Amino acid sequence: MIRHFFAIIALVSLGGCTGLGTLRQASQPNDLYLLTPKSTFSTSLPRIQKQIVVQEPTATAAVNTDQIAIQPTPLQVQYLPRARWVDRAPLIVQALLVESYENSGKVAAVGRSTVGLRADYVIVPDLREFQGLVIANPDGSQTIRVEVRMNIKIIDEFEDKIIASDSFREYVIAANDETPELVKAFDDALGKTMRDAVEWSVRRINTHAANNPRQF
């Protein structure tokens, strides 16, 4: 099934082809896919009376797109045919991080960098991996492993310096190579990555704020 799957991708990615079949394929609408925020967090997570802003994640050109990336080899990137995210991947991740912080119930206020919120701390994500990788199994079969990796920096806006930085990564094996199952694997991997990033950053901000009280 994996070979058939990538045969379809290869046909879609061929350039310079014309004809009725190509026109019909081009006229078919794309299926749009959503991802979900994280809503469950550790009960021991402290509450911070601070406002935070989440910047749009930086990303490579291969990831900074609304196309769903699959790597048939570690050195090659292709995209699922007739399937798209509802927005560019970094914008989706930014919005879901904001919503995940809100869902934690542990932050006084949180917003995106474009809304003009006066921030005490700024979350600066770097989306370093956001793709499925084809893995060869010992029995000769193949599976697709979705990989999500984000680096998170926390900036103290008052002192204009980085107070913490860490990287968060998750792997999820897709149940099969059908697009809905691949999207589910993306959702699971991103959800786990965001949970870890939110909990880590809330704890780091809480510790930093406690050790650096300010008088306004």
Side-chain angles (χ1 to χ4, degrees):
M1 186 178 290
I2 294 281
R3 291 176 181 172
H4 174 69
F5 171 72
F6 283 105
I8 294 175
I9 289 184
L11 288 172
V12 171
S13 62
L14 286 175
C17 296
T18 59
L20 183 57
T22 301
L23 291 174
R24 285 176 178 168
Q25 189 175 64
S27 67
Q28 292 178 0
N30 292 319
D31 292 326
L32 298 180
Y33 290 92
L34 293 162
L35 297 171
T36 60
K38 195 64 182 174
S39 58
T40 56
F41 298 90
S42 170
T43 56
S44 66
L45 201 61
R47 179 169 177 79
I48 53 175
Q49 297 299 329
K50 300 294 179 181
Q51 297 189 142
I52 65 174
V53 158
V54 180
Q55 290 189 354
E56 179 184 337
T58 55
T60 65
V63 172
N64 191 10
T65 174
D66 65 348
Q67 298 189 84
I68 303 175
I70 301 291
Q71 289 185 261
T73 72
L75 300 178
Q76 185 181 16
V77 178
Q78 296 177 341
Y79 299 97
L80 295 183
R82 296 187 299 279
R84 295 288 190 275
W85 301 122
V86 293
D87 209 332
R88 290 188 296 109
L91 286 177
I92 291 174
V93 171
Q94 181 189 29
L96 294 179
L97 275 171
V98 169
E99 194 169 349
S100 295
Y101 278 108
E102 292 173 339
N103 290 344
S104 75
K106 301 298 184 179
V107 180
V110 59
R112 293 184 291 182
S113 53
T114 55
V115 301
L117 182 69
R118 179 189 175 281
D120 299 302
Y121 294 91
V122 178
I123 306 298
V124 184
D126 180 14
L127 189 58
R128 297 186 176 178
E129 292 182 20
F130 195 70
Q131 72 282 326
L133 179 63
V134 178
I135 304 296
N137 300 316
D139 63 0
S141 64
Q142 292 179 315
T143 56
I144 299 179
R145 184 179 71 196
V146 171
E147 304 181 355
V148 175
R149 181 163 65 100
M150 277 195 295
N151 180 269
I152 301 287
K153 292 180 175 63
I154 306 173
I155 296 176
D156 180 334
E157 190 75 347
F158 181 77
E159 297 182 357
D160 194 25
K161 71 176 184 181
I162 297 172
I163 65 165
S165 177
D166 208 344
S167 187
F168 304 89
R169 165 182 274 171
E170 289 290 343
Y171 302 123
V172 174
I173 300 295
N176 56 52
D177 62 5
E178 298 295 328
T179 298
E181 291 297 333
L182 293 174
V183 170
K184 184 179 184 300
F186 270 98
D187 197 51
D188 290 346
L190 180 60
K192 293 174 182 177
T193 304
M194 291 192 300
R195 178 201 60 206
D196 293 345
V198 167
E199 292 185 352
W200 169 83
S201 58
V202 167
R203 290 192 171 100
R204 293 306 297 263
I205 290 172
N206 181 66
T207 300
H208 183 268
N211 295 331
N212 296 271
R214 297 168 187 162
Q215 298 294 326
F216 295 98

